[in-house]
Amino acid sequence: MRITDRDNLIFTKNLAVMVKANIPLAQAIRTQVQQLRNPSLRKILFDIAQRVEAGQKFSSALEAHPSVFGFFYVNVVKAAEKSGTLEYNLEYLADHIETAMVFKKTLTSALMYPAFMLCAIIAVAVVLGFMVLPTIIELLASLSQDPPFATRVVLALAAFVSSYGILLILSAGMFAIGVYFFMQSALGKRSFDHLVLHAPIAGSLIRRVYLARSAKILATLLKSGISIHESLAITAGSLSNDAFQSAVRRIIPEVLKGNTISAFLDRKLFPPLYVQMVEVGEKSASIEKNLDFLATFYQKEVENTVKNLFTLIEPVLLVIVGIVVLFLALAIIGPIYQSAGQ
């Protein structure tokens, strides 16, 4: 059974409450094993509890399961072990997971309607083109009549798909496999990550997603008591885009020399607002607060952009659906009227 973000959130929240209540860590984890419903997570937590009881650090036990507890999660726990603030750091992690879940849900919900409309168009076209029209064409053939233009177009498309459908599917599959393996290479991933940031419309949206994510992760790490250079290294490792990873990693040696973060933020990736807020935060010793503001600001920007974008796309999709349905209707009704006239 797949372990979801919700499972991870429930575990982290409950563990924070139990640790705050001074329940021993291994006992708190075993309690979670009994309470949680997901058998896969229960098995992993049982192993973690055994490791902790055997004397391993909690962070080391978590590292044994990287598919569930990632780089960011483990390092926040490591910082808590050094500073003795496990309950607070678990609360920060729970807040981070919950924010990411809400953000992901908003984007998914916005994409569902266009995806549904596209599937509906394809389904209607397939049913009419392969099941309804052939019957009508047989009728026209028996009457020795040529079908109307719309009908001929739909039939030509249906014939093309029937003749070359398998070849098209195989070609698309081979292309997808080729792209997948290219994306697995360092060059492919780097090329795609840089290209996607410059894509029309989607590029600015994806950039804001990474601005929000980088600010949120860095704020959480700094609040957890991790040093600035370590927080930057963990933030870079937690970002999946190569351009943002490289930009954050380039700041680390400058910070170790005593320079500020804001002075070395890549202006091509980080807008003036981001740079200024970080700079003000560094000067006023409130960088965590300012980073939290930036994370919230860019999350709202992404949510509003997605909502506005699909508000504009919705009528366009309706027009496209209308045109497709009208054309298919003409392709079907045209021959019927033609035969009736004859």
Side-chain angles (χ1 to χ4, degrees):
M1 187 174 180
R2 192 172 69 89
I3 299 171
T4 64
D5 289 336
R6 186 175 179 277
D7 294 325
N8 211 334
L9 174 64
I10 292 170
F11 163 69
T12 305
K13 272 191 171 182
N14 290 346
L15 189 63
V17 171
M18 297 177 80
V19 170
K20 190 176 280 188
N22 294 321
I23 297 174
L25 181 60
Q27 184 182 335
I29 297 170
R30 285 195 177 278
T31 303
Q32 292 295 299
V33 173
Q34 296 169 1
Q35 290 180 347
L36 292 171
R37 295 181 180 180
N38 189 315
S40 300
L41 184 57
R42 288 170 62 183
K43 184 178 179 181
I44 289 171
L45 293 181
F46 182 77
D47 177 68
I48 290 171
Q50 285 187 318
R51 289 171 182 269
V52 171
E53 286 172 339
Q56 273 193 32
K57 287 184 177 181
F58 184 36
S59 58
S60 300
L62 292 174
E63 276 183 312
H65 304 280
S67 60
V68 181
F69 304 101
F71 184 70
F72 172 71
Y73 196 108
V74 171
N75 278 279
V76 171
V77 171
K78 277 183 181 178
E81 289 171 339
K82 291 177 183 177
S83 59
T85 57
L86 182 59
E87 63 271 26
Y88 300 111
N89 285 27
L90 286 171
E91 287 176 352
Y92 294 145
L93 281 170
D95 176 64
H96 177 81
I97 295 168
E98 190 167 17
T99 303
M101 281 176 61
V102 171
F103 191 49
K104 187 177 179 181
K105 187 177 179 181
T106 302
L107 294 178
T108 306
S109 300
L111 290 168
M112 282 184 69
Y113 178 75
F116 172 77
M117 293 296 287
L118 182 62
C119 291
I121 292 172
I122 294 171
V124 169
V126 168
V127 169
L128 294 179
F130 287 92
M131 298 177 67
V132 178
L133 275 177
T135 306
I136 297 172
I137 294 309
E138 288 178 10
L139 173 63
L140 290 175
S142 66
L143 297 173
S144 301
Q145 294 178 7
D146 292 328
F149 173 74
T151 308
R152 291 201 303 271
V153 171
V154 174
L155 285 174
L157 288 172
F160 178 79
V161 172
S162 297
S163 301
Y164 302 102
I166 296 175
L167 182 62
L168 288 172
I169 292 171
L170 289 174
S171 300
M174 291 177 66
F175 178 76
I177 292 170
V179 170
Y180 172 78
F181 280 109
F182 178 66
M183 289 288 295
Q184 299 306 304
S185 67
L187 175 61
K189 186 180 184 309
R190 186 164 58 250
S191 301
F192 177 79
D193 286 348
H194 284 262
L195 181 65
V196 78
L197 293 176
H198 297 92
I201 302 174
S204 62
L205 185 65
I206 293 168
R207 190 188 300 266
R208 289 182 186 133
V209 169
Y210 281 104
L211 289 171
R213 190 172 295 172
S214 63
K216 185 64 181 176
I217 292 172
L218 189 55
T220 303
L221 292 167
L222 292 173
K223 284 189 287 187
S224 301
I226 300 175
S227 64
I228 293 177
H229 70 276
E230 286 179 323
S231 296
L232 288 168
I234 296 167
T235 300
S238 303
L239 297 172
S240 57
N241 185 277
D242 182 78
F244 274 91
Q245 276 186 356
S246 301
V248 174
R249 285 199 176 104
R250 283 195 294 268
I251 302 170
I252 298 171
E254 301 301 332
V255 168
L256 290 171
K257 293 176 186 176
N259 296 314
T260 61
I261 296 173
S262 57
F264 292 92
L265 285 170
D266 189 340
R267 267 54 174 182
K268 293 179 182 178
L269 294 176
F270 298 93
L273 174 64
Y274 197 108
V275 176
Q276 289 169 12
M277 288 297 293
V278 172
E279 185 178 2
V280 170
E282 288 172 325
K283 289 178 179 177
S284 60
S286 59
I287 188 169
E288 300 96 331
K289 182 179 177 181
N290 286 20
L291 286 168
D292 269 331
F293 167 81
L294 285 169
T296 304
F297 174 78
Y298 284 113
Q299 282 173 1
K300 292 291 182 185
E301 283 264 293
V302 171
E303 290 171 11
N304 291 335
T305 301
V306 170
K307 286 177 184 176
N308 293 336
L309 183 62
F310 287 106
T311 300
L312 293 172
I313 287 176
E314 186 174 347
V316 175
L317 283 173
L318 290 174
V319 170
I320 293 171
V321 170
I323 292 171
V324 171
V325 170
L326 176 62
F327 194 81
L328 290 171
L330 290 173
I332 293 170
I333 297 171
I336 295 173
Y337 273 108
Q338 185 174 321
S339 60
Q342 293 292 328

